[in-house]
């Protein structure tokens, strides 16, 4: 009955506009959140290009150095001294610094006679870096003596070289990353007058680290049992910079004659731009959403204001504040509920669009999207309805005091 | 019910000369089944008096009590009980809902109090000659018809006191008499008292006390 009184002052257009605004806002918020849930996997992916850029530095080999080394086989190779490493670590542009561990023992690889690559034998070297720098999604990157095989990561360029150079010219089958991991071979480690044969599997290909990688534990074991006790001084370092485009940093490297893997760094600038753009988009989206909901709340308060006289008259008749507020509470609840529920349809359309794009890029959509969105939507409903109830009650009380 | 003023003076009147008033600044009380006329020229505070009793005005000095409680200290719930079960008022401005029909205006009150049956309401409307207009929007009625509507509405609740603010100002003598009879009957049925404000004294009515503001 009270609703009959209020209906006389309702503007359908006003409510409609508020509804449309809130609807748009809700779609934007849920779509953005949903996109974040779907895409967060990309951020966590070790192989993803989001991961921090590393800069791999080594000492520059000059021609005179080459001559000197040929002349004297015992001449120490240019490596990084502990002092040089400490000095680099103390530079302001360095966020993290680590060295490649290398083998002080001998390694060779060979294939079994019944392998597709029978008769293959070569001397080899391995290096290792801490697991956090491994840009391959392999779960078990570690090794101990009881393991069945040693996992090995090769540079991606080797695979490309094989597939697009060797295989095509020799009419051999090209190999995909996945099937390359089926390649098994044997290695023999030797030194200190001992030898041991082990199995090795290729488990992945690195885009960034140009060496034959094995777990640090294996190198340590090899150095202790077959080598001179520990690694030689590192000939290569990984630097993680606060800002991979820092000019200061490159000047320092130039000064010290350190070589840098420049070609791999072009991504970082694009990355920075991308981060800035995404932040702007998210901020704008949030602003639009806040405004849309503010519009909704304001419309409801306007309705209340238009009915101020009626509210006062109802109070004079003896109606309680809560009875007078009730029709507004119900109206708000219905509007908010329908806004959120109706927003699901365009939301699914939007998701369908970008999920197909993600799949093309090689990423799978998140499986917990539905749950995450449902929870968020529910949370929104609760928060907004409570807010409206509070505002409405406050305004009615104010009119009737 | 006992309504009591103790040295009450509304703030707007503080600067004026209210020494002759029989209400302002005095000890004034009405109780039980007393029928009281408060008479005054315009601007002396007739409406203010009634609004102070129901707690609608707070700008005064002195004390008011309704059954021992100050109307300003009532909670929202107590206030709604006061206005729907204890005191019924016909406002000078009538406080009707213009966009609703005559019938809906009355039902709006009766739904809350469940005091009358539809037949009883129709009987009252018949006595006051309003039955032909029941489905008309109130804004289309004459002021006199609106006043009669407000009176019927005020009688759709239980009350211990009836407050009437110039209720017959736009009624002819005939309708005034009918309305007065109706009100008198209700007052005896409810064993209630009444305060009525007016610009002057109508000859046909009897009061227990007359006060000049």
């Amino acid at each position: 009955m009270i609703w009959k009184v209020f209906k006389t002052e309702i503007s359908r257009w006003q409510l409609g506009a508020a509804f449309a605004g809130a609807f748009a806002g809700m779609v934007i918020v849920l779509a953005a959140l949903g996109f974040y849930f779907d895409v967060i996997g990309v951020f966590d992916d070790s192989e993803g290009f989001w991961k921090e850029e590393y800069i791999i530095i080594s000492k520059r080999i000059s021609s005179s150095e080459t001559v000197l080394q040929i002349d004297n086989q015992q001449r120490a190779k240019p490596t990084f001294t502990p002092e040089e490493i400490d000095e680099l670590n103390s530079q302001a542009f360095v966020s993290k610094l680590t060295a490649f561990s290398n083998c002080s023992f001998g390694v060779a690889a060979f294939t079994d006679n019944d392998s597709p690559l029978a008769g293959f034998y070569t001397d080899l070297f391995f290096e290792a870096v801490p697991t956090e720098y491994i840009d391959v999604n392999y779960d078990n990157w570690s090794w101990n003596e009881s393991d069945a095989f040693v996992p090995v990561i090769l540079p991606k360029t080797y695979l490309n070289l094989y597939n697009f150079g060797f295989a095509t010219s020799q009419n051999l089958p090209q190999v995909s990353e996945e099937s390359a991991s089926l390649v098994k071979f044997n290695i023999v480690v030797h030194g200190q007058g001992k030898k041991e044969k082990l199995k090795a599997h290729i488990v992945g290909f690195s885009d960034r680290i140009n060496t034959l990688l094995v777990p640090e534990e294996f190198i340590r074991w090899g150095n202790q049992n077959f080598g001179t006790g520990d690694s030689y001084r590192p000939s290569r370092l990984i630097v993680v910079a606060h800002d991979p485009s820092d000019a200061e940093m490159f000047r320092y490297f130039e000064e010290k004659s350190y070589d840098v893997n420049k070609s791999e760094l072009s991504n970082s600038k694009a990355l920075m731009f991308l981060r800035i753009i995404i932040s702007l988009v998210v901020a704008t989206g949030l602003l639009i959403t806040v405004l849309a909901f503010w519009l909704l709340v304001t419309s409801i308060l306007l309705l209340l204001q238009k009915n101020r006289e009626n509210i006062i008259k109802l109070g004079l008749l003896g109606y309680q504040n809560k009875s007078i507020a009730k029709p507004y509470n119900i109206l708000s609840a219905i509007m908010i509920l329908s806004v959120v529920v109706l927003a699901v349809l365009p939301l699914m359309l939007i998701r369908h669009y970008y999920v197909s794009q993600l799949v093309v890029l090689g990423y799978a959509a998140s499986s917990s999207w539905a749950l995450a969105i449902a929870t968020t939507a529910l949370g929104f409903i609760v928060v907004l309805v409570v807010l409206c109830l509070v505002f409405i009650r406050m305004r009615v009380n104010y009119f009737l005091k | 019910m006992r309504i009591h003023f103790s040295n009450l003076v509304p703030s707007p009147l503080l600067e004026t000369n209210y020494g002759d008033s029989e209400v302002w600044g005095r000890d004034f009380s009405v109780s039980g089944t007393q029928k009281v006329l408060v008479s005054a020229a315009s601007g002396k505070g007739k409406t203010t008096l009634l609004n102070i009793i129901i707690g609608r005005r707070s700008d005064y000095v002195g004390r008011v009590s309704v059954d021992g409680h100050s109307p300003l200290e009532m909670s929202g719930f107590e206030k709604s009980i006061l206005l729907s079960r204890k005191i019924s008022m016909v406002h000078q401005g009538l406080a009707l809902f213009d966009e609703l029909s005559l019938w809906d205006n009355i039902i709006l009150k009766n739904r809350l109090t469940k005091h009358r049956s539809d037949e009883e309401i129709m009987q009252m409307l018949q006595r006051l000659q309003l039955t032909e207009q029941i489905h008309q929007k109130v804004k289309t009625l004459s002021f006199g018809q609106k006043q009669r509507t407000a009176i019927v509405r005020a009688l759709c609740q239980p009350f211990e006191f009836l407050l009437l603010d110039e209720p017959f100002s736009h009624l002819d003598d005939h309708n005034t008499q009918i309305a007065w009879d109706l009100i008198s009957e209700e007052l005896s049925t409810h064993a209630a008292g009444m305060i009525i404000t007016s610009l002057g004294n109508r000859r046909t009515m009897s009061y227990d006390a007359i006060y000049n503001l």
Side-chain angles (χ1 to χ4, degrees), chain B residues 186-213:
Chain B
E186 288 302 314
L187 286 174
S188 28
T189 316
H190 286 88
M194 170 189 81
I195 302 177
I196 181 169
T197 69
S198 174
L199 288 167
N201 185 3
R202 293 276 184 130
R203 289 161 276 117
T204 51
M205 300 159 205
S206 62
Y207 304 100
D208 298 314
I210 298 178
Y211 290 87
N212 287 308
L213 264 187

Side-chain angles (χ1 to χ4, degrees), chain A residues 47-182:
Chain A
E47 295 184 23
F49 70 98
W50 293 111
K51 205 163 181 223
E52 299 164 303
E53 291 283 339
Y54 340 127
I55 301 161
I56 297 177
I57 53 175
S58 51
K59 291 240 174 133
R60 190 165 297 159
I61 315 282
S62 62
S63 319
S64 52
E65 180 61 40
T66 310
V67 169
L68 288 167
Q69 286 189 20
I70 291 175
D71 217 30
N72 174 11
Q73 294 260 346
Q74 304 304 321
R75 180 183 166 80
K77 305 278 189 295
T79 53
F80 289 98
T81 65
E83 296 78 27
E84 285 170 328
I85 294 178
D86 283 337
E87 188 192 314
L88 179 55
N89 205 4
S90 64
Q91 296 300 311
F93 53 77
V94 170
S95 166
K96 282 195 291 191
L97 176 64
T98 198
F100 283 64
S101 319
N102 43 33
C103 313
S104 56
F105 55 94
V107 184
F110 62 95
T111 52
D112 287 326
N113 286 333
D114 57 355
S115 141
L117 276 169
F120 174 80
Y121 182 94
T122 179
D123 285 327
L124 254 249
F125 70 97
F126 284 134
E127 284 181 291
V129 293
T131 313
E132 70 212 66
Y133 294 96
I134 303 293
D135 60 330
V136 168
N137 283 337
Y138 181 71
D139 286 328
N140 245 331
W141 188 252
S142 64
W143 183 82
N144 62 61
E145 280 187 71
S146 57
D147 279 352
F149 63 89
V150 180
V152 175
I153 291 177
L154 300 183
K156 185 75 165 284
T157 49
Y158 284 23
L159 182 65
N160 292 341
L161 257 176
Y162 173 82
N163 276 333
F164 305 115
F166 196 62
T168 49
S169 70
Q170 299 279 319
N171 231 341
L172 289 166
Q174 290 178 312
V175 168
S176 71
E177 273 196 59
E178 289 75 34
S179 53
S181 59
L182 298 172

